[in-house]
């Protein structure tokens, strides 16, 4: 069941989906010793990276893969002389140490585990895809790795959807790191009102101008005046400014284009 809109969720992958990823604090593992149900357990890794199991006690597992942990558990059982040839399987039940977040205009925003490798495009698909309000730009926020280096800041990587072939764009198959945040921006719009056939809000396009805005608005009515077109624009520190516009003038996100009727 998905979380309500605006509520973040922490989703766990089924153990079958997590193969041989590296383990960290907070992860929950299922350790199975074949033929020995009393020695099998589902346990969590504590904040020091220790996994505590029956008979062999605590073992350091931070940064190890599931296969490496299996070998370590088997070795502990052999050395303790509990079993001669133990067969051990380790699966990740919940992967909490390696999480990424996706926010904004996706169907299921929240935190998701990284099952080995995960790209931006795969994360968007896992989050249920984009909403109808999603923009064609997503932002990958990559946290600085060295917190002691105050001069190193978080990195913002813009990614254009649908334009992966363009050389100046960052490709969508960027591999995610632990702690990454992907934000899907809301679609930028402009507004057109007055003497047009389909007044309302419309999504921004590249190199948008007044002529294109009027075309998207269904063209001008018979009462419209081409010489009485105005743009209302929010200007920082000045508020909304009204300016007379020509057909070739650019339209910016948030602009309100108003086509007045003819005086005669």
């Amino acid at each position: 069941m998905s979380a309500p809109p605006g509520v973040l969720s922490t989703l766990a992958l089924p153990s079958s989906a997590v193969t041989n990823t590296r383990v960290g604090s907070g992860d929950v593992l299922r350790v199975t010793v074949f033929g020995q149900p009393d020695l099998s357990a589902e346990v969590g890794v504590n904040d020091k990276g220790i996994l505590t199991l029956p008979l062999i006690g605590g073992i350091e597992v931070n940064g190890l893969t599931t296969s490496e942990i299996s070998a370590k558990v088997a070795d502990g059982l052999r050395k303790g002389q509990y079993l001669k040839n133990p067969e051990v399987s380790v699966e990740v039940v919940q992967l909490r140490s390696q999480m990424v977040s996706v926010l904004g205009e996706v169907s299921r925003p929240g935190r998701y585990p990284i099952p080995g490798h995960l790209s931006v495009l795969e994360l968007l698909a896992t989050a249920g895809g984009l909403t109808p309000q999603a923009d064609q730009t997503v932002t990958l926020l990559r946290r600085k790795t060295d917190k002691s280096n105050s001069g190193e800041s978080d990195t913002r990587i813009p990614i254009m959807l649908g334009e992966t072939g363009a050389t100046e764009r960052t490709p969508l198959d960027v591999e995610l790191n632990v702690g990454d945040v992907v934000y899907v921006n809301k679609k930028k719009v402009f507004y057109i009102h007055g003497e047009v056939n389909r007044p309302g809000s419309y999504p921004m396009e590249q190199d948008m101008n007044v002529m294109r805005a009027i075309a998207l608005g269904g063209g001008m009515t018979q009462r419209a005046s081409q010489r009485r077109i105005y743009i209302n624009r929010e200007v920082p520190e000045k508020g909304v400014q009204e300016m007379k516009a020509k057909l070739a003038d650019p339209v910016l996100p948030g602009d309100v284009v108003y086509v007045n009727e003819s005086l005669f």
Side-chain angles (χ1 to χ4, degrees):
M1 184 175 181
S2 60
V7 178
L8 297 186
S9 59
T10 301
L11 303 184
L13 290 182
S15 58
S16 59
V18 183
T19 53
N20 204 27
T21 189
R22 295 194 179 275
V23 167
S25 299
D27 293 345
V28 179
L29 309 180
R30 181 182 294 115
V31 181
T32 302
V33 182
F34 295 101
Q36 302 291 330
D38 292 341
L39 298 181
S40 301
E42 190 171 295
V43 290
V45 181
N46 68 18
D47 57 359
K48 296 181 180 179
I50 302 297
L51 184 72
T52 302
L53 295 169
L55 298 181
I56 61 176
I59 57 174
E60 171 66 46
V61 298
N62 194 44
L64 299 182
T65 65
T66 51
S67 61
E68 289 170 338
I69 297 170
S70 298
K72 204 166 185 178
V73 172
D75 188 56
L77 291 171
R78 268 193 304 270
K79 287 182 178 178
Q81 298 183 349
Y82 301 113
L83 295 171
K84 290 184 177 180
N85 296 301
E87 294 184 34
V88 180
S89 170
V90 175
E91 297 174 295
V92 178
V93 178
Q94 289 186 316
L95 189 62
R96 296 172 177 168
S97 65
Q98 302 182 56
M99 305 289 287
V100 293
S101 299
V102 58
L103 305 173
E105 296 300 323
V106 292
S107 298
R108 296 189 297 272
R111 300 179 68 225
Y112 290 84
I114 304 178
H117 300 281
L118 191 70
S119 71
V120 171
L121 193 58
E122 290 167 336
L123 176 61
L124 295 178
T126 303
L130 306 179
T131 70
Q133 291 77 37
D135 192 19
Q136 289 299 297
T137 304
V138 301
T139 302
L140 170 59
L141 178 62
R142 179 151 290 168
R143 306 292 185 182
K144 60 183 179 182
T145 54
D146 185 5
K147 298 296 182 182
S148 63
N149 185 359
S150 57
E152 184 183 356
S153 59
D154 296 341
T155 303
R156 292 180 178 270
I157 305 172
I159 298 173
M160 300 295 291
L161 302 177
E163 297 189 24
T164 55
T167 55
E168 72 276 10
R169 306 299 187 190
T170 305
L172 273 179
D173 58 357
V174 172
E175 187 173 317
L176 294 167
N177 295 339
V178 174
D180 280 353
V181 177
V182 175
Y183 184 80
V184 181
N185 304 295
K186 194 168 186 177
K187 186 182 296 179
K188 296 179 179 67
V189 299
F190 71 93
Y191 306 87
I192 184 162
H193 294 288
E195 296 300 327
V196 292
N197 290 301
R198 293 194 302 269
S201 64
Y202 290 88
M204 287 295 299
E205 297 177 358
Q206 192 171 5
D207 301 324
M208 177 68 72
N209 60 21
V210 173
M211 181 183 294
R212 176 60 179 159
I214 291 172
L216 290 173
M220 292 188 288
T221 68
Q222 292 182 346
R223 297 186 301 273
S225 171
Q226 186 173 312
R227 290 178 292 182
R228 300 188 68 215
I229 302 173
Y230 296 87
I231 293 177
N232 289 278
R233 178 174 296 161
E234 182 78 32
V235 179
E237 301 180 1
K238 294 183 180 180
V240 177
Q241 304 287 306
E242 184 180 77
M243 56 197 79
K244 195 167 185 179
K246 298 177 182 179
L247 294 178
D249 286 349
V251 174
L252 304 182
D255 278 358
V256 179
V257 180
Y258 192 85
V259 180
N260 265 310
E261 62 182 349
S262 176
L263 292 175
F264 304 100

